[in-house]
Amino acid sequence: MSNSGTLNLSTFRRGVHPDEFKNMSCSSPSRVLPLPDEVFIPLQQHIGAPCESLVKKGDLVKTGQKIADTSAFVSSPIHASITGKVVAVSSFPHPLGGKVPMIHIKRNGDEDDWELLTTPENWENTPPEELQKIVREAGIVGLGGAAFPTHVKMSPPKDKPVDHFILNGCECEPFLTCDHRNMLEETDRVLKGMAIMLKLLDIKQGIIGIETNKADAIAVMEARVQALNLNFKVQPLKVKYPQGAEKMLIDAALGRKVPDGGLPMDVGVVVNNIATALAVYEAVVEGKPLIQRMLTVTGDAITEPGNIIARIGTPFQVCVDACGGLKGETAQVFMGGPMMGLAQYDLNVPTLKATSGIVCLESSQLKKTRHYPCIQCGSCVTVCPMNLVPTRISRLAETAKYDECKDWGVFNCIECGSCAFVCPSGIPLVQWIRVGKVKITEKQNKLKAKA
Ligand code: SF4
Ligand code: SF4
C-alpha cells in the first residue's frame, strides 16, 4: 500500500535542521571491503550482559562461528567475522573508551569458510518462537546505534500488546547514508526482513518512515512494496533532526506520545532500523549470523567518502584507508555522526555491530569550541524534542545538584544534541547532562548495594 498519492508530510514537535552533508556519500554504490588481515571483536557490543569467550588462543575459527555467548536473556552472542586463528583473548582499545576484552583473530590466507545457522525451509510457516531463536543465535542487535538485542525487542510482554511495527528509514544524523544505500541496494531483502519482523510480533500493521531527502529510496520502497504485494505503508516524513529517535518517529508516523520514562511498546509500537531488518533476513533466510554491516566513511577529511561493507571488528584505520585515507590534518573523528556520535582518538579501535559510520572532519566543519556564559536566550528549550529545559539541567549538573537534576527530568534526555547545536554560547549541554545521569546512577547503585 502506498500513500504517495495522499502526501501529508508529518513530523514531531521541535528539533533542529543541521546541514546534512549527505551528498558526499549517498550517490555512489557501496563497496565490499576486502577481508581484513585481522579483527578485534569485543565481548560486549550490545546493551545487556557481556558475553564470555567460547574460544581460546590458538583455536581455529570459521566465519560465522559463535565465539562468545552468555545465558542472560538480555544479551547477544558474538561470532567470528573472518576465518582464521585466535591469537589473543585480551583487552584492546574500544571506541567507547578504555580497553575492554576482545577476541583477536588473524586471517588464514584467503579462506572464508562459513559456519551457517540452521534455518527453516519456509519462514512463513515457522512459529514466531522458532524465528526468535534464530534472531538470537544470529547475534542481531539494533544496528541504528542503540545495539539493543533484537530478540528481546521482538518479545514484548503480554501486558504490552503491540499493533504497529515501524521500520526506521529516517537516518536523520548528518553525514550518514548507509541506511539510504541499503534501501536502494537491498530493497527486497530489507522488506522481507521487515515481513519476518511482523511475523515475529504476530501483527499486520507495518510503516516505513523515510525522510523526504531520500526521495529515490521512498520511490523504490513504494514500488517494491507494491510488487511484492506487502501490506506496508511507506510514510514520507519532513526532514528534521532527531526524527530517527524512536519516540520522535512514533510521534511523527502515528501521532502517539511515548510517556516520560516509557518505551515504544507502552504505546503499542516496536521500531527497528533498516540494517537490522536486513540482518534479520540474512539470518532467517540465508542462515548468516551478524558478522558484517554497511557503514558510511565520510567527512571532508576523507579522500573518497562512501559506503563500505566491512566485517565487524575491522580496525577503523583499515576502513579509512579503503576510502583513500585521510587528506591531511584531521581535527575530529566520530564513530557515528557529529550529533550523537562518539569522538575517537585512536583509529586502531574496531568497528562494532552498531558502527553506522566513521566521520572524519577538518576543523572548518567543527562546531564552536569556545564556551561563554549562558545568555538565557531560551533557544535550547525551544528545540528540545523531549520538552526539557537543557540550560537548567546542565547548570544543576555543573553545580553538583544532582537530585534537582533528576526532578528536572534528566533521564528523559535522549542525548540528541539539539540543545548544544543551537546554543550561541557553545555550552557543552549534553556533556553536563551525561555527567548528571552518571552521578545519579552511581548514587542509586551505592544505595542499592547498602540495602
Ligand atoms: S536536553 Fe537532551 S533531549 Fe533535549 S535537546 Fe538536549 S540532548 Fe536533546
Ligand atoms: S541556548 Fe545556550 S545560551 Fe541560550 S539559554 Fe540555552 S544554554 Fe543558555
Side-chain angles (χ1 to χ4, degrees):
M1 181 169 65
S2 160
N3 78 339
S4 62
T6 55
L7 197 64
N8 181 19
L9 292 181
S10 52
T11 188
F12 63 100
R13 281 189 67 226
R14 306 186 173 184
V16 292
H17 296 275
D19 286 338
E20 295 174 17
F21 297 109
K22 289 179 184 280
N23 285 344
M24 287 181 183
S25 60
C26 70
S27 303
S28 23
S30 65
R31 292 179 293 123
V32 178
L33 200 67
L35 290 172
D37 292 337
E38 57 183 348
V39 290
F40 298 81
I41 304 180
L43 294 177
Q44 181 156 25
Q45 304 188 44
H46 48 265
I47 291 175
C51 292
E52 286 174 20
S53 177
L54 303 174
V55 293
K56 58 184 186 316
K57 184 178 171 181
D59 285 354
L60 296 174
V61 291
K62 287 184 175 180
T63 305
Q65 180 181 330
K66 186 158 75 171
I67 53 173
D69 203 355
T70 166
S71 58
F73 179 59
V74 184
S75 186
S76 189
I78 311 272
H79 302 80
S81 58
I82 56 174
T83 300
K85 186 188 264 191
V86 175
V87 290
V89 180
S90 187
S91 292
F92 295 97
H94 190 277
L96 301 186
K99 290 186 173 182
V100 307
M102 300 189 194
I103 298 171
H104 178 197
I105 304 170
K106 282 205 169 166
R107 184 157 59 93
N108 203 3
D110 291 330
E111 287 177 41
D112 191 27
D113 293 337
W114 281 70
E115 190 169 298
L116 297 175
L117 303 162
T118 306
T119 56
E121 268 186 32
N122 182 348
W123 63 264
E124 284 163 292
N125 299 332
T126 305
E129 313 79 60
E130 293 302 312
L131 298 175
Q132 301 272 14
K133 279 184 199 158
I134 298 170
V135 169
R136 191 221 173 258
E137 279 307 297
I140 300 173
V141 300
L143 299 181
F148 190 77
T150 302
H151 68 281
V152 181
K153 201 173 199 181
M154 304 308 280
S155 322
K158 290 214 164 27
D159 62 341
K160 305 273 184 199
V162 166
D163 57 29
H164 273 80
F165 176 86
I166 302 180
L167 188 65
N168 186 351
C170 291
E171 201 167 49
C172 61
E173 178 78 43
F175 289 96
L176 302 186
T177 59
C178 53
D179 282 348
H180 186 175
R181 290 306 317 173
N182 265 327
M183 282 190 278
L184 295 177
E185 296 176 21
E186 297 285 0
T187 320
D188 284 14
R189 293 161 92 225
V190 167
L191 289 172
K192 288 175 186 172
M194 177 171 168
I196 295 169
M197 288 165 129
L198 263 75
K199 163 95 179 171
L200 275 165
L201 291 164
D202 196 20
I203 61 171
K204 303 272 183 253
Q205 308 279 347
I207 296 175
I208 306 163
I210 310 174
E211 292 191 340
T212 51
N213 58 356
K214 293 175 268 295
D216 50 356
I218 291 172
V220 74
M221 292 291 263
E222 284 185 332
R224 294 309 299 164
V225 161
Q226 283 194 347
L228 295 170
N229 202 21
L230 295 165
N231 186 32
F232 300 159
K233 174 182 169 188
V234 178
Q235 172 83 56
L237 301 166
K238 275 184 195 165
V239 179
K240 194 161 48 152
Y241 178 88
Q243 195 146 240
E246 287 187 339
K247 292 179 181 179
M248 276 70 254
L249 179 55
I250 293 168
D251 186 4
L254 283 169
R256 298 183 189 177
K257 314 274 183 218
V258 179
D260 288 350
L263 294 169
M265 68 176 73
D266 293 321
V267 292
V269 184
V270 167
V271 180
N272 247 309
N273 138 291
I274 297 290
T276 314
L278 178 60
V280 166
Y281 176 86
E282 290 181 336
V284 170
V285 178
E286 299 173 350
K288 289 181 177 170
L290 178 57
I291 58 102
Q292 65 183 13
R293 66 160 297 154
M294 193 190 292
L295 65 146
T296 311
V297 182
T298 187
D300 60 356
I302 289 283
T303 306
E304 296 162 20
N307 282 287
I308 57 171
I309 297 168
R311 298 291 168 101
I312 287 158
T314 301
F316 276 28
Q317 185 72 60
V318 174
C319 299
V320 166
D321 289 346
C323 294
L326 295 171
K327 280 183 191 165
E329 195 177 321
T330 302
Q332 199 147 24
V333 176
F334 292 97
M335 180 175 77
M339 295 295 284
M340 288 188 87
L342 288 164
Q344 300 295 312
Y345 305 96
D346 181 356
L347 287 180
N348 290 314
V349 295
T351 57
L352 312 175
K353 292 178 181 179
T355 304
S356 50
I358 301 172
V359 177
C360 303
L361 302 180
E362 292 178 343
S363 54
S364 58
Q365 284 180 334
L366 284 180
K367 286 183 282 186
K368 43 211 171 274
T369 50
R370 292 187 65 184
H371 308 151
Y372 300 94
C374 174
I375 56 170
Q376 303 291 330
C377 67
S379 299
C380 55
V381 182
T382 312
V383 300
C384 176
M386 295 303 293
N387 298 324
L388 300 173
V389 184
T391 177
R392 174 64 67 99
I393 300 173
S394 159
R395 184 75 190 134
L396 289 169
E398 199 177 349
T399 51
K401 292 178 181 158
Y402 302 123
D403 288 340
E404 286 181 61
C405 257
K406 200 173 162 199
D407 295 341
W408 281 82
V410 68
F411 283 107
N412 289 331
C413 170
I414 58 168
E415 301 182 16
C416 67
S418 299
C419 50
F421 175 75
V422 295
C423 177
S425 295
I427 298 170
L429 295 159
V430 187
Q431 280 93 323
W432 281 118
I433 288 169
R434 282 190 191 129
V435 168
K437 287 183 182 179
V438 169
K439 294 292 179 187
I440 295 165
T441 306
E442 279 174 6
K443 190 175 166 189
Q444 286 173 342
N445 288 343
K446 271 186 199 161
L447 287 173
K448 261 190 218 160
K450 271 189 198 164

